[in-house]
Amino acid sequence: AQSVTQLDSQVPVFEEAPVELRCNYSSSVSVYLFWYVQYPNQGLQLLLKYLSGSTLVKGINGFEAEFNKSQTSFHLRKPSVHISDTAEYFCAVSDRGAQKLVFGQGTRLTINP
Amino acid sequence: DAGVIQSPRHEVTEMGQEVTLRCKPISGHNSLFWYRQTMMRGLELLIYFNNNVPIDDSGMPEDRFSAKMPNASFSTLKIQPSEPRDSAVYFCASSLDRGLGEAFFGQGTRLTVV
């Protein structure tokens, strides 16, 4: 069964600093990969997704992620964070042709002024 | 479209009572998912439907939980009887493409069982 590991439960950074949130998944079969963001008391919103093609994927709010098949990773990055990026970020994976989205435990990103 | 609509947003109930959570997916979406979020276990998929048919309910914790989707625009998740350990935020999500696209989430129902 698929599993997703988000290596950091919390990441504190200063405003305008770069950030990387790490995500590794278990399966070596073809997968679709997603990053979602959850603001306080809200549902999850899609940040970006990798389905095929270029391994560097750009999403909303200046975020991007790179798919690395050999390392089974899909790390999320932003070159300069803003206070409004404070939220919880979830990595998710689904096997191609399957319906199930399996989520990681989430990483809480805290931006300090 | 208003997005995925869940009701109620908050529910407080006493142990042993029946609880029903409701979800209206985005019009035209053919897949619907129920997730539960807790601090301890994170986001867990409870059950998902495709074209109103339950496809995988392996995440449903026990027989006290049941879910239905009588038509393409409505689903319920019922807990009977409820227990304090059922306290969590329950999310409904819907998607259009089978295994391809993103899932759109509702705002969630925060359930507290006392």
Side-chain angles (χ1 to χ4, degrees):
Chain A
Q2 276 285 6
S3 68
V4 178
T5 302
Q6 291 185 241
L7 295 160
D8 307 296
S9 59
Q10 294 188 64
V11 173
V13 295
F14 287 106
E15 195 171 15
E16 297 183 7
V19 69
E20 178 180 81
L21 307 183
R22 296 179 292 170
C23 171
N24 287 88
Y25 62 96
S26 62
S27 176
S28 61
V29 300
S30 296
V31 295
Y32 298 130
L33 293 155
F34 306 81
W35 275 99
Y36 283 81
V37 60
Q38 185 180 29
Y39 299 104
N41 300 313
Q42 300 287 319
L44 279 71
Q45 304 172 33
L46 184 72
L47 266 183
L48 49 78
K49 60 186 176 184
Y50 170 79
L51 302 181
S52 66
S54 172
T55 57
L56 184 63
V57 180
K58 293 190 184 298
I60 61 171
N61 301 338
F63 284 92
E64 63 181 32
E66 186 153 21
F67 170 55
N68 187 318
K69 188 175 181 178
S70 62
Q71 297 186 5
T72 60
S73 69
F74 190 55
H75 300 332
L76 180 71
R77 301 185 185 101
K78 186 169 182 178
S80 176
V81 295
H82 190 267
I83 290 281
S84 60
D85 293 322
T86 297
E88 188 141 18
Y89 291 79
F90 292 90
C91 181
V93 62
S94 71
D95 290 336
R96 292 196 179 195
Q99 203 75 14
K100 245 174 162 172
L101 261 182
V102 176
F103 284 87
Q105 288 286 86
T107 298
R108 186 171 299 276
L109 177 62
T110 306
I111 313 297
N112 299 308
Chain B
D1 199 311
V4 176
I5 299 173
Q6 291 186 247
S7 64
R9 287 294 309 276
H10 302 273
E11 177 80 36
V12 180
T13 191
E14 290 185 347
M15 183 173 64
Q17 295 298 305
E18 178 180 296
V19 175
T20 300
L21 311 181
R22 296 173 175 79
C23 175
K24 177 177 169 30
I26 292 173
S27 176
H29 282 191
N30 59 357
S31 293
L32 183 139
F33 310 83
W34 282 100
Y35 284 89
R36 178 172 67 176
Q37 185 178 34
T38 61
M39 290 291 292
M40 292 297 295
R41 302 172 69 93
L43 264 168
E44 304 171 274
L45 177 64
L46 300 178
I47 185 171
Y48 75 86
F49 297 83
N50 184 254
N51 293 323
N52 311 339
V53 176
I55 302 300
D56 184 348
D57 65 355
S58 59
M60 296 285 262
E62 47 197 278
D63 291 345
R64 297 184 297 107
F65 285 68
S66 62
K68 293 183 180 179
M69 192 164 186
N71 57 61
S73 59
F74 185 65
S75 177
T76 59
L77 178 68
K78 187 178 292 186
I79 308 173
Q80 165 64 16
S82 57
E83 297 182 3
R85 61 194 169 113
D86 301 330
S87 297
V89 181
Y90 291 81
F91 287 104
C92 176
S94 69
S95 70
L96 179 58
D97 296 318
R98 184 177 176 84
L100 289 177
E102 65 185 284
F104 292 80
F105 281 75
Q107 299 273 59
T109 295
R110 183 175 295 277
L111 173 65
T112 304
V113 183
V114 297

